[in-house]
Structure formats: C-alpha cells, structure tokens
C-alpha cells in the first residue's frame, strides 16, 4: 500500500503530459502509485503513458474504450487505488518540487485528516505566475484540524478537486464519485468539504495550475456550460439527503447564484444566442432553492428578467467608465494644484539645514541612506532629516523619525527646498534638481551583474527598464558613493553622467566592520536561534533568464537536514521575490515547522549577517558586504553560465570567488559535511576578495559622508588611493 494514489485523467494533452508525469515521478518523495487514465485520447497521449509505464513500475495505465469525460475518467481510476490518500491531478498541471514530501509531513503532523487543502499558483501560457489570491485563508485556519462550520472561509477558496488530497477510507465510506459533464468538481467538492469531520491546511504551493491559451474547458465557448445547473442540483440533493447539513442551504444558494452569474458575465463561455436561456435557467434554479431569507444585493438581478439584467450590466459599465473619467479629471486637477504649489516653493531659497532621505523605493530607514541619517543626527543635529516613506511602511519606522508620503504636498515642499537629497534609488523624474542642492546616490552594494547602460546589449535583462530615462535621472547626481575601486569603475561606465565619486566606503557596512560578538548574539536571541548553533545564512538572488526571477536552486528542507543538528539555516530572499510565489513554494511552511528560519521580512539585512557564521549565496551582492565580517562564504554557482549570459557580469565570480565554489548541490553539501567551507583555502580566497572589495570600508563611512558633505570638512581618505588590480585578469573593467 502506498501513501498516495495519484489519479491522472488524460485527454488531448500530449504537449503537456510529459511535464506532468515528470513532476510526479521525479519527486523526492517516492511512496506513491500513479494511475493514469487514457480517456480514449485521439492524440499521442496513450503511447506516452505506455512509454512511462514501461520504465517506472509505479505508473499504471488504464486505456478506456471510449471517451467518458473528466469526472468519469477519475471514477475509472479510483477502484485501482490502494494508497492512504487520493490525489486527483489534471494532466496539464504539474507538482512543484518537494510537494509530496510537504503534503506527507503535514498529514503526519495532523494525524491523517479526511481532507488536506494546499495552495497552488496559476502559471500562464505567456510565462507569468500568480499565487492564489486567497492564500492567506490557509494560514488563517491554523495548525489544527477543523470542520467547514468552524472555518467557513475555507469554502471561499477555488472549489476544485486538485488542490486537496482525500483520505481514501473517507471517500469510500461516504461513497463520493464524480458526475458527468462540465463543472464536475462542484458536486464533489462541496459534499466532501461539508461532510469532512477533520480538515487540515498546508500553506504551501504544491501545484502549478496551467492556464492554457486554448483547449481549456473554461475558455471553450459551448452550451456545455449549461451543465453547471445540473451540478448544483446534485449539490442540493446531497444536502437534502443529510438533514444535519440543512443549515448550509442559504450559503450554497448564494454560491450557486454567484457562480452562474460569473459564467454568464465571461465573454468566452457561452454563445451569445444562448445567454438569455442561460439566465432564465439560472433564475429558475435560484427561485427553486430560495429559502425565506433576504437576497444579497448583487443577486437580486436574478429576480427580474434577462432584459433588465442586460440593462443593469450596461448601466454598470457606463457608470464604471464615468467613474474612471472622473478619477482622471480629479487626478489632473490635483496634479495642477501640486505643480503650482511646488513651483512656488521652487522659487524660495534652499534650506541649508534640510536633508531628505529615501531608500529602496521609500521602504524606510534602511541601507546606506539610513546609516548616513543616523550619523547626521549625531554629528550634525542642526540638519533636519525627513524621510520619504510609503504608507504601508510607516508602522515600521523607528520612533521619532519625521517622514512624508511620496508625491504628497509635504513631499513636494521638502524636496523643493532640501539642500541634501540622499537615495539609493533614483528619485522620480518629476523631482527638479535645483542649483545648490546636493544629490548623493549611494547605490545598493557592489555590482557583480551588469547595470544601467551596460544592459543595452542585454535585451532580456533590461526588459521593463527604460535605460535612457534612468540615465536622465542619474544626471542629477552630484556624488556617487563607492566602496571600492571596482565599484568606481563600474559606476563610471554604467552611468555616463556628470558626478564625482566619493571613496568613502559603504555606510551600511560600518556595523559589520565594527562588529562585536554580542551584536550577533542579540540578533540570534530575537530570532529565536539557539546561542550555540552554527548559523548558515542562505541569500539567493533573482534570475533574469526566467519570468518573475524565481529559480529554486536548493531544496531547503534537504539542505537544513544535511547541515545536521546544532545548525540553523537562515533564509533571506531577494527583495524583488518577496511578493511573488517564492515563499509559498515551501519557505513559509518550513519556517512554521521550524525547519528553517525565514528572515526575508527582517528590515535590516546587516542584522542577519551579524547573526550568521557563514554565507551561502549564488550571485547576490550581499557577498561583498559580508566579506567585511571575515567569515566563510560559499558560492553555489550551478547555473553561472546561464546567469552570466542572460544578465552579464563584470567578472567571473567562479574564477575570483570569496570562498569555495559549489557547482552542484552535492558539492555544496559535501563542503559543509567535510568542514571544507572554513578551511585554509577558504580563508585565502576570502583574504584576496576582502583586499579587492572591502578596501574603503573602515567603519567610518557614514561619518565621512556627513563630515564631508554636510559639515564641509576635508575628507579623510580611508585608504591609499592606489588602484586595486583585477585578480587573474578576469575583470572586464581592468582596462578602464
């Protein structure tokens, strides 16, 4: 008996079938049986299934003599299932890496519930990926099992069969089966969820739900969409057969109305000639099952006729258009007011004691600007510091920080009159550079990958970037802050603008240069990491060769396990991946279970560096900052060729690394298992890297900026200004 019986109905998906099967059979968790049901597919699907079955005994193929449809094909596979849990996987969808292991672990944790609901992501034919918009429901339901009555919000999720696994004993006991026709998930999922006595959730993306351009049932214009009425009749019949579920009738009545109206509103579901009939059948079904309660406002349209429905739809569209135009008019008026108001202040003299700061697109008191701000408060308290901060980041500000909202009247006032403007991201194009103002651009670290003008011959990497506009904004810079000679050469090349390089070092790295043992201990205590653990910080960067930038290079659960007892794996995602599906691919769930520590939301990455004993990264600029700590760094570079070709790199990090380089996960695991990650060769490589990239960092960079730019003192150079030669001749800037 297997843990999972994965039932895969197959029909006209020969272009996607191999990817689906590979995603299942190549899972790290292997206690499975796969029952593939060839629903008399007219293409090459049957041959593909037989090919896979010949080389993997876990796959069994059923060839049906005639086409029976999706639901009945699933029914055909169920009698052959012997696993503890049933998993119905559509043959154009795929499992995410590690999905079955995560599902099995969660089933063990919740003592085998009747149903486990997990998360998914939509993957679009044009390359985009979007996580389920109601993913938070899975976390809100908590760690324990529950019923639908205890957490009814679970029914707000997409009512489909494939985002759940089901106890086979529960399904057989209740006699659940799929009906024929479209929308066959509806009379399966509602009865299952309402009958289950123990439901559990897994807040992890386990399945990629393919959004096909053509061939998807939901994008097919057909009268088959009328099947939805029969499917809801089956749902109501089930509820009527179980008096204990009668309280759900009002809820299901509303769901039915919403679902049918949604189908009617979609432009590609029903032939235009059949929409009136569909409305009338929906209205009849709505009246048939209506109880005595009030009808929600959005469903009252079903109490009238089709002509009234069409009129209200037309009125709604017209109202939306009027609202859109009114909003544009109001925005234009506000812009004129702000522009006129701002122009008034642009004619007033600059305030010599006003500095405006921003970091990471207005995310708060962070990075180099944050370090300069703190130094200015101490060394130049007469200079008023004002931050530009997004509204959602205001609660995270330290006490006593003065701030303005982006593009507000207050923002226009302070930016128009400030003498000092400090940012690590270009200011918006609307900000006017006034004579006498001092614009300091601090950047966001030492560059490995191509930047700005160097992206002009990398069309894939510069997608979405307006390089000429970026350079026009950079024309406002007076000073460019640099941490090393390499950065100075890069910024001169990547930003062909008129500015002066300040060889100050990186202000945000002052805390790393001056680090004390107790600094890291305090951060560990705050993060709940045992004081005696060795902490490995894993900080991957984004990729330009895939849409969205997310590439899973390491199985985090496996890496944490391979590190062994007495170790903590601390994970920090690249900021550009935070709002995408990356955390849902397992990181959030592993954090909840204590397998890893997800520190992506920690505002100050310097704290994470202080708390760690070693850094594992691929090509993140974090390595240049981390080298100031003189702690081991391991580079995981299994896709360096693809990364360098797609983005471009100023030097070969695998030839001039800050520590050992792993070309595969196996090699990475060996480096830590053998202790080589911190051997003499690691120290030698790190010393050369530090000499090259930490030369200007002496712990006084922020002080140096304030004294030089704000107090007018002569800058004290941190080191000799002799050029630092490129190592091994791999630097493309060596001749600059």
């Amino acid at each position: 008996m297997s843990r999972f019986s994965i039932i895969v109905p197959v029909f006209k998906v020969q272009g996607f079938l191999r990817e689906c099967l590979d995603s299942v059979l190549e899972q790290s968790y292997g206690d499975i049986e796969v029952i593939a049901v060839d629903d008399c597919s007219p293409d090459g699907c049957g041959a593909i299934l037989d090919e896979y079955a010949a080389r993997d005994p876990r796959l069994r193929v059923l060839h049906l003599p005639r086409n029976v449809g999706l639901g009945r094909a699933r029914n055909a596979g169920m009698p052959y299932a012997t696993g503890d849990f049933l998993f119905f996987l559509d043959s154009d969808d795929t499992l995410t890496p590690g999905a079955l292991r995560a599902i099995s672990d969660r089933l063990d944790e919740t003592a085998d519930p009747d149903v486990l609901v997990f998360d998914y992501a939509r993957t679009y034919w044009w390359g985009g990926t979007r996580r389920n918009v109601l993913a938070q429901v899975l976390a809100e339901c908590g760690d324990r099992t529950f019923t639908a009555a205890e957490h009814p919000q679970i029914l707000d999720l997409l009512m489909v069969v494939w985002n759940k696994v089901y106890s086979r004993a529960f399904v057989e006991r209740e006699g659940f089966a799929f009906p024929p026709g479209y929308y066959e998930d509806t009379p399966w999922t509602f009865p299952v969820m309402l009958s289950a006595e123990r439901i559990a959730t897994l807040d992890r993306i386990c399945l990629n739900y393919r959004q096909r351009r053509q061939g998807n049932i939901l994008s097919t214009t057909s009268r088959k969409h009328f099947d939805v009425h029969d499917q809801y009749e089956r749902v109501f019949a089930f509820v009527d057969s179980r008096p204990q579920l009668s309280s759900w009738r009002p809820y299901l009545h509303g769901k039915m109305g919403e679902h049918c109206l949604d189908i009617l509103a979609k432009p590609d579901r029903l032939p235009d000639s059949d929409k009136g009939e569909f409305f009338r059948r929906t209205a009849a079904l709505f009246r048939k099952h209506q109880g005595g309660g009030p009808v929600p406002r959005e469903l009252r349209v079903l109490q009238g006729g089709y002509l009234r429905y069409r009129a209200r739809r037309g009125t709604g569209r017209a109202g939306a258009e009027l609202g859109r135009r009114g909003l544009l008019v109001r925005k234009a008026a506000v812009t004129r007011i702000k522009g006129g108001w701002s122009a008034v202040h642009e004619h007033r003299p600059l305030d010599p004691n006003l500095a405006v700061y921003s970091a990471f697109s207005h995310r708060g008191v962070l990075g180099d600007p944050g370090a300069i701000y703190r130094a200015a408060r101490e060394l130049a308290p007469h200079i008023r510091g004002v931050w530009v901060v997004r509204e959602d980041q205001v609660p995270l500000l330290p006490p006593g920080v003065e701030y303005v909202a982006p593009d507000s009247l207050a923002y226009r006032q302070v930016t128009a009159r400030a003498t000092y403007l400090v940012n690590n991201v270009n200011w918006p194009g609307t900000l006017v550079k006034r004579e006498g103002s001092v614009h300091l651009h601090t950047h966001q670290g030492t560059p490995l990958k191509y930047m700005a003008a160097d992206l002009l011959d990398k069309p894939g990497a510069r997608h979405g970037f307006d390089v000429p506009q970026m350079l026009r904004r950079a024309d406002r810079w007076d000073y460019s802050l640099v941490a090393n000679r390499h950065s100075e050469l890069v910024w001169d090349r990547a930003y062909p603008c008129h500015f002066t390089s300040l060889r100050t070092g990186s202000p945000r790295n002052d805390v790393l240069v001056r680090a004390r043992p107790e600094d890291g201990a305090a951060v560990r205590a705050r993060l709940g990491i045992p004081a005696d653990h060795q902490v490995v910080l894993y900080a991957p960067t984004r990729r330009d060769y895939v849409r969205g930038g997310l590439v899973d290079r390491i199985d985090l659960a496996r890496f944490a396990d391979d590190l062994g007892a007495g170790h903590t794996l601390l994970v920090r995602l690249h900021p550009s991946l935070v709002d995408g599906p990356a955390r849902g691919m397992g990181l959030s769930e592993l954090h909840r279970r204590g397998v890893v520590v997800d520190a992506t939301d920690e505002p100050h990455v310097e704290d994470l560096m202080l708390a760690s004993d070693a850094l594992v990264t691929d090509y993140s600029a974090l390595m240049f900052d981390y080298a100031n700590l003189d702690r081991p760094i391991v580079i995981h570079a299994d896709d360096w060729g693809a990364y360098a070709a797609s983005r471009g790199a100023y030097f070969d990090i695998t030839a001039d690394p800050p520590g050992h380089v792993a070309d595969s996960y196996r090699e990475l695991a060996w480096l830590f298992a053998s202790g080589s990650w911190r051997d003499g060769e690691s120290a030698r490589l790190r010393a050369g890297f530090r000499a090259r990239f930490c030369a200007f960092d002496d712990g006084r960079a922020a002080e140096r900026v304030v004294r030089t730019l704000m107090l007018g003192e002569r800058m004290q150079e941190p080191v000799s200004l002799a050029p630092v030669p490129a190592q091994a001749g791999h630097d493309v800037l060596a001749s600059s």
Side-chain angles (χ1 to χ4, degrees), residues 34-35 37 71 76 83 116 122 192 203 215 229 273 307 344 462-463 468 541 554 569 602 604 624 669 712 729:
V34 182
I35 304 163
V37 184
L116 174 67
R122 295 176 187 265
V192 164
D203 183 18
H229 301 120
S273 59
L307 292 178
V344 171
R462 76 166 190 268
H463 180 71
T541 193
I554 291 178
L569 181 58
E602 284 291 316
H604 300 287
F624 299 98

Side-chain angles (χ1 to χ4, degrees), residues 90-105:
D90 286 354
S91 50
D92 56 351
D93 295 337
T94 56
L95 299 185
T96 60
L100 292 181
R101 168 62 66 186
I103 293 172
S104 178
D105 288 346

Side-chain angles (χ1 to χ4, degrees), residues 460-475:
R462 76 166 190 268
H463 180 71
F465 287 98
D466 185 340
V467 174
Q469 172 68 5
M470 183 185 301
L471 297 181
R472 284 192 292 272
R473 294 179 179 182
D475 283 333

